[in-house]
Amino acid sequence: MSTTLEPEGDYDGVPSYRYDNTTGGSVLSHHRRWDELAATHDGFRSSVSHGFWVITNGPEIQRALQDWEAFSSKSVTALDPDPKFLWIPEMLDPPLHSRWRRLLGREFSPNAVAAREAEIRAVATGMIDRLSGSGGADVLDTFARRFPTQIFLRLMGLPEEELDVFLEWVHEILHLSYEQDPDRSRQLAAITAVSDYFQEQIALRRTAPKDDLLSRVMTWEIDGEPISDRDLHAFCVLMFNAGLDTVPIAVGWALYHFASHPGQRAAIVADPSLIPTAVEEILRVYSFVVPARKATRDVEVGGCPVKADEMVMLPLVVSNRDPERYANPTEVDLDRTTSNHIAFGSGPHRCLGSHLARLELNVAMQEWHRRIPDYRIAEGQDLEQTGNMYGLTSLRLEW
Ligand code: HEM
C-alpha cells in the first residue's frame, strides 16, 4: 500500500479522500499513513461508503472521545452508522453506560486482576515451555492467540475444551480478507454460531448458576430490574469482540518488535524491570484500535463541520504518535518516563480490560524472554496486516 493518498476534492471546505481504513497492507503501512495524514491535516472527509469524517489531530481525538454528549457510542464503526445490533457496554451512552461500568468495574479492578496473576503465569509458561524446544513456530497461532483466549475462557467460566473452536470463530469473524470471504457468508455463519453458543451458555446458567462472571452478571440489577437474557447476550458478544483479538495483536507486535530490534531485546532479557515500560511503548507505538462515534448534533472537531447523525473516525494511533506529545514519537524508547498514551481509549468507554491486558502482556514478555531470549523472524516470512484493527496475520519466528 502506498502511504500517499490522492485528494479527491473538497467537502464542505475540508479535503476529501477515498480513505479506506480496512484494506490490508505491509507491516506498519497504516501507522505510517496516519503519521503522514496527521502531519498535514487536523481532519478530513472520507468518501468511502456513505462517507464519514476522520480526525487526525491528537488532542481533538481525545476531546471527542471524552465528549459523550456530542459524540455518541450508538455506533462505534465508521462504516456502519446504523447497526442492527447492540454491544453492552460499548454501545451504550451515559447514564445507562455508567451503571453497567460501575458493576463491571469490580470484576476487572486492579485487585481482581492481580488475584489471577499466578493462574495467568501458569498458562503462559505451560505454552512457552511446550514451544521452547521446537526451534521455531508461527507464534501467533501457537502462543499470542492461544494464551489470552484461554484466560478469557476461564474468566467467563466457559469450558477450556472450547479453545480451538473459539480461535476458529475469531479467525472467521475478524481475520478473513475479501478474497477469502467475498460474500461474507463465512463471517455470518461464525457470528451466528457464537450467538447461539452464548444463548445456550446463558440458558445453562439460568437453571444452574456457576461461580463465574456470566453467572454473577445474571444476579445484578440495573435500575431495579434484573438483567434480561437479551442484554446478557449483548454483553457476551461485546466481550468476545473486545477481549479476544486485542491482547493477541499486542503480543504479536511485541514479538515482532523485539525480533527486529535485537539490541532492545538484549536489554529486556538482561534487565526484566524494563518490561513494563516496553509494554507501554509497544501499546503506544503500534496502537491498533480505531474507534468511531456518531454525532448527536452539529459540532466542529478537527476543523471538520460534522452534522448530527454523521460518523467520526478517531484513530488512537494519531494521538499516540503525536510529535507534539512525544519526543521521537514513532520509536519504542525503553527509557521513556511518560506513559499517558491512549491505546486503551479515553473517556467513559476507556477499556474495561486494561488491567487484565497489561498483566497478560507483562507476563507474556517476562516468561517468553526467560525461556526464549534469542529469536529472529524466519526467512521468507511475509508480514502483512489486515482489518480494522492493525494486527499481523502471521509471524513465523526461529530460535
Ligand atoms: C492490548 C489489549 C487491549 C486494547 C489495546 C484494548 C483497547 C480498547 C479500547 C481502545 C477501547 C475503547 C473503544 C471505544 O472507545 O470505542 C476498549 C474498550 C473495551 N475493552 Fe479493551 N482493549 C484491550 C484488551 C481488552 C481485554 C483483555 C478485555 C476483556 C477481557 C477488554 C474489554 C473491553 C471492554 C468490555 C470495552 C468496552 C468498555 C466500554 O464501552 O465501557 N479489552 N478496549
Side-chain angles (χ1 to χ4, degrees):
M1 186 206 305
S2 141
T3 56
T4 310
L5 282 175
E6 289 301 320
E8 284 186 327
D10 170 292
Y11 185 98
D12 254 3
V14 176
S16 163
Y17 295 92
R18 192 148 186 82
Y19 182 75
D20 187 352
N21 181 47
T22 59
T23 52
S26 56
V27 175
L28 288 176
S29 55
H30 280 282
H31 294 75
R32 294 198 181 108
R33 193 164 67 172
W34 285 118
D35 294 344
E36 202 174 284
L37 287 162
T40 43
H41 302 71
D42 285 334
F44 62 89
R45 178 82 185 177
S46 169
S47 60
V48 169
S49 185
H50 44 78
F52 52 89
W53 300 99
V54 185
I55 309 308
T56 45
N57 171 297
E60 287 286 85
I61 288 169
Q62 202 160 350
R63 178 171 76 81
L65 287 170
Q66 289 170 357
D67 184 358
W68 55 268
E69 280 168 307
F71 298 98
S72 163
S73 291
K74 273 192 197 78
S75 164
V76 288
T77 314
L79 289 170
D80 188 5
D82 295 302
K84 306 276 172 294
F85 53 87
L86 172 70
W87 294 337
I88 291 179
E90 169 102 30
M91 289 164 68
L92 298 176
D93 289 323
L96 184 54
H97 173 260
S98 326
R99 296 191 183 115
W100 272 92
R101 279 295 293 240
R102 211 167 299 130
L103 291 163
L104 284 167
R106 289 200 299 257
E107 298 285 339
F108 289 88
S109 70
N111 283 346
V113 168
R116 291 184 167 266
E117 178 167 346
E119 176 193 358
I120 290 173
R121 204 171 285 281
V123 171
T125 53
M127 287 184 186
I128 303 168
D129 278 341
R130 279 194 290 283
L131 274 178
S132 59
S134 68
D138 181 329
V139 294
L140 298 191
D141 281 342
T142 53
F143 177 62
R145 292 177 179 140
R146 296 187 83 77
F147 158 56
T149 309
Q150 178 131 352
I151 302 298
F152 176 87
L153 292 176
R154 289 190 180 192
L155 182 85
M156 294 288 281
L158 302 172
E160 286 179 45
E161 305 83 79
E162 314 277 12
L163 179 59
D164 287 319
V165 181
F166 263 76
L167 290 168
E168 183 64 18
W169 282 336
V170 172
H171 179 67
E172 297 282 305
I173 295 174
L174 300 171
H175 298 162
L176 294 182
S177 64
Y178 176 75
E179 288 72 30
Q180 289 166 315
D181 191 19
D183 61 358
R184 294 265 163 248
S185 55
R186 283 173 65 183
Q187 187 190 40
L188 196 64
I191 290 174
T192 309
V194 170
S195 177
D196 292 351
Y197 177 81
F198 281 129
Q199 236 137 29
E200 217 173 88
Q201 292 294 324
I202 291 166
L204 279 173
R205 282 163 183 74
R206 286 279 185 215
T207 43
K210 300 183 179 193
D211 178 19
D212 61 24
L213 177 60
L214 205 44
S215 305
R216 283 195 291 283
V217 176
M218 273 178 187
T219 65
W220 296 346
E221 289 189 351
I222 304 258
D223 289 339
E225 294 288 326
I227 293 176
S228 66
D229 279 4
R230 199 193 61 134
D231 284 0
L232 265 173
H233 186 260
F235 167 69
C236 290
V237 173
L238 184 261
M239 287 297 287
F240 182 94
N241 283 314
L244 279 186
D245 210 26
T246 41
V247 178
I249 289 176
V251 173
W253 280 125
L255 290 174
Y256 164 77
H257 179 84
F258 290 112
S260 49
H261 294 76
Q264 290 195 338
R265 187 177 70 240
I268 62 165
V269 168
D271 180 3
S273 74
L274 292 172
I275 287 177
T277 304
V279 165
E280 296 310 312
E281 280 289 276
I282 299 284
L283 287 167
R284 184 183 68 76
V285 170
Y286 294 88
S287 289
F288 51 83
V289 185
V290 187
R293 295 290 187 264
K294 187 169 185 169
T296 57
R297 55 176 167 83
D298 293 1
V299 56
E300 186 168 320
V301 59
C304 301
V306 178
K307 299 213 170 47
D309 293 331
E310 288 188 328
M311 291 303 299
V312 181
M313 184 184 270
L314 302 164
L316 305 179
V317 60
V318 168
S319 285
N320 288 339
R321 291 162 64 107
D322 183 351
E324 308 261 314
R325 192 163 171 162
Y326 302 99
N328 302 321
T330 60
E331 302 295 321
V332 167
D333 177 354
L334 299 182
D335 296 321
R336 203 180 291 276
T337 48
T338 41
S339 64
N340 58 349
H341 67 73
I342 58 162
F344 289 114
S346 187
H349 291 274
R350 193 183 171 283
C351 179
L352 175 72
S354 66
H355 304 297
L356 175 64
R358 279 196 163 113
L359 179 61
E360 288 179 354
L361 285 165
N362 275 279
V363 165
M365 288 301 101
Q366 288 158 2
E367 301 304 336
W368 183 279
H369 291 96
R370 223 194 291 276
R371 288 163 175 75
I372 310 180
D374 190 16
Y375 53 91
R376 67 213 74 85
I377 296 174
E379 199 137 333
Q381 169 68 41
D382 255 359
L383 291 167
E384 285 210 335
Q385 61 190 66
T386 142
N388 196 20
M389 285 206 277
Y390 310 129
L392 298 169
T393 45
S394 67
L395 180 62
R396 197 169 169 79
L397 298 182
E398 291 170 351
W399 51 83

